[in-house]
Amino acid sequence: MKLPKIRELLEAIKALIVGPYTSKFPYKPHIPHPNFRGQPIYNPDKCVGCLACEEVCPSEAIGHEDITDDSEPRRLMIHYTDTCIFCGSCEAACIADNEGIKQSNDWELSFFDRKEAQETIEKELQLCEICGEVIACKDHLKWISEKIGELAYSSPSLYFSRLKSLGIIDENIISAVRDSGRSDRVKILCARCRRETTLTTR
Amino acid sequence: MPKSVIPIGPYHPLQEEPEFFTLTVDGETVVDIDVQVGYNHRGIEKLSERRTFDQSTFVIERICGICSTSHPFAYTRAVEDIIPVEVPERAKYIRTIIAEGERIHSHLLWLGLAGHFLGYNTLYMWVWKLREEILDVMEILSGNRNNYAMFKPGGVRRDIKSEDIPLVIKKIDSIVPTLDRLKKAILDDPVLHARLKGIGILTREDAIDYGALGPTSRASGVAKDVRKDAPYGAYDKVEWDMIVTETGDVFEKVIVRVLEVYESIKIMKTCLLNLPEGEIDLNIKDIPPGEGIGSAEAPRGETFHYVRSDGTNRPARHKVRAPTFMNLPTFKVTVIGETISDATIILAAIDPCYCCTERMAVRNTKGKKIYHGQDLIRLSQEKTEHIKRKMGIK
Ligand code: SF4
Ligand code: SF4
């Protein structure tokens, strides 16, 4: 009976000297281990706006909104930090070498208003030159043409996006090409318009 | 002497989860017990069937906050059983490491709570402090203290970095001396002996009859452990012992859990030191139509999952059976005949997890009428009418 008591007394004395085990948070910040999987953050320079992350997210914590009604069509990639479960699926699925969205070490996510619990980035959108339908983000088309190399020259939408982004062609050259017959095909088009222009004999 | 009924729950400050016990007592002695669960039904199976095979793991992980590895472990094994494939060696080892880490923290959590139920609040705080260390280890290994998001059909999501291993081993080793002291504190304490020995006995026969699982059955002398009986992961590649004791009282259940923590530490360390090189993921693309079953030894016993695929990317049917489903009915033999003051710790001794168990809720009211708000108002109005009539008022 005595021995256990002495042992526990030692523990108690130790606790008195060392002080409480609990941390001083929020007075002192808590910095987690570098391996910690915290809130994912978009990298607007790397992300191409392909929506793969939205597709795989198990908790529907990623959404997007396409704004096409003003002069700068753009896609908002929205990450809802309140529903995110920090699983890392988005990072694992990201086509931009897993760098478009990356889990950070950040874990402090309290908000007074739930509407604030979201982070957005903007990506420029490419619209169909005939019908104005969303094709993809400009960076995404560039990404595809880089990925498939010279095969991109089989699709005007792809090679125009690519050449434009490289600054090799500008609007004037495109309009010059357009004038030499079948100008309707020499455009950046959505899949439906491309099919229609190909099938019609104008 | 007339019997009295003590209702505990469904929402009770003592319990972390909603469940409803009806204890029928004769004086101090419990003569009957009834348990109702289903207050926490979340439709997990249906949710899982709406997600893809890969996404389901995250839903499954959230069946239980404590067994957040056992359920995905059983689920991924079930999905791999449909194809069927063997996951790479390294993935098997990593899975085993995570599963054992979970067992350590789960057993420590239970031990702390048991101390709290018995009025040993120092033990409670002490053990939970120890548990923090293992949670830190899990954070280093998986990136999360809980809900590790490590499992996926075909492998694991995250590799263990070799530079982290020395720190992890150091941390695991550091809990052993405290655990030793803890073990001695429990074993030498005459009060705990007096309090826990000989109460809530689950005999070997009853354990077999009720199909008890995990530490509940092993404390009763039934050597049953999926890790030994049908080895999965890396359990057949490392040396470890199954802890089995004889009498099946609450004290033995404590002992089994404490000793299992040592075994888990042993397994975890061996796996970390012998981690084979290689791939960690098979990158499964398609799941063919078919059925698969998978089981894993959770800290509370065997978790069992059944998955049927119809060739699409979502499970057509997913069935979950948690260990508490089997352990819960043993209350009928362990609690009856004991005093009310012992009932709490006996109920806690199987380490019940009700939210794991609640797959379906059926209410059998046995012909009793259920009064809704409208019915109550009607009854009240009828009574007024009745009084009015008696008093002769129109
Ligand atoms: S971490 Fe998981 S839950 Fe959060 S946004 Fe990425 S995929 Fe969705
Ligand atoms: S590039 Fe990566 S981050 Fe950007 S939308 Fe695609 S998957 Fe998401």
Side-chain angles (χ1 to χ4, degrees), chain B residues 155-300:
Chain B
V156 288
R157 281 175 212 276
R158 193 181 230 212
D159 208 353
I160 292 180
K161 295 185 210 135
S162 50
E163 65 261 32
D164 289 335
I165 293 179
L167 174 64
V168 168
I169 300 242
K170 206 176 108 203
K171 273 193 173 280
I172 299 176
D173 280 339
S174 77
I175 69 173
V176 176
T178 325
L179 201 61
D180 283 338
R181 244 176 299 151
L182 205 69
K183 189 176 87 180
K184 285 194 206 118
I186 294 170
L187 288 181
D188 307 341
D189 195 306
V191 185
L192 276 185
H193 277 257
R195 188 75 176 70
L196 300 179
K197 276 221 161 137
I199 66 155
I201 294 177
L202 180 68
T203 59
R204 197 185 138 80
E205 289 69 39
D206 283 336
I208 294 172
D209 287 350
Y210 279 90
L213 299 169
T216 311
S217 74
R218 293 197 282 276
S220 302
V222 184
K224 194 153 67 172
D225 192 323
V226 196
R227 296 175 291 169
K228 276 269 192 254
D229 301 339
Y232 57 98
Y235 290 113
D236 49 350
K237 301 187 187 70
V238 292
E239 284 281 313
W240 63 281
D241 299 318
M242 196 193 316
I243 309 290
V244 184
T245 57
E246 287 307 318
T247 54
D249 57 11
V250 177
F251 193 74
E252 301 278 79
K253 289 187 181 121
V254 178
I255 295 301
V256 166
R257 290 201 174 91
V258 173
L259 295 182
E260 272 186 11
V261 173
Y262 283 97
E263 293 303 317
S264 295
I265 291 176
K266 204 160 87 188
I267 300 174
M268 224 175 152
K269 266 179 71 178
T270 324
C271 284
L272 278 166
L273 290 172
N274 301 313
L275 204 56
E277 292 298 321
E279 286 294 306
I280 56 162
D281 187 7
L282 287 175
N283 284 317
I284 296 175
K285 296 277 184 257
D286 292 310
I287 314 278
E291 300 179 298
I293 54 168
S295 58
E297 183 76 14
R300 293 154 184 76

Side-chain angles (χ1 to χ4, degrees), chain A residues 42 47-53 77 94-96 100-101:
Chain A
Y42 275 111
C47 171
V48 298
C50 69
L51 305 184
C53 46
M77 294 297 307
C94 179
I95 63 165
I101 189 161

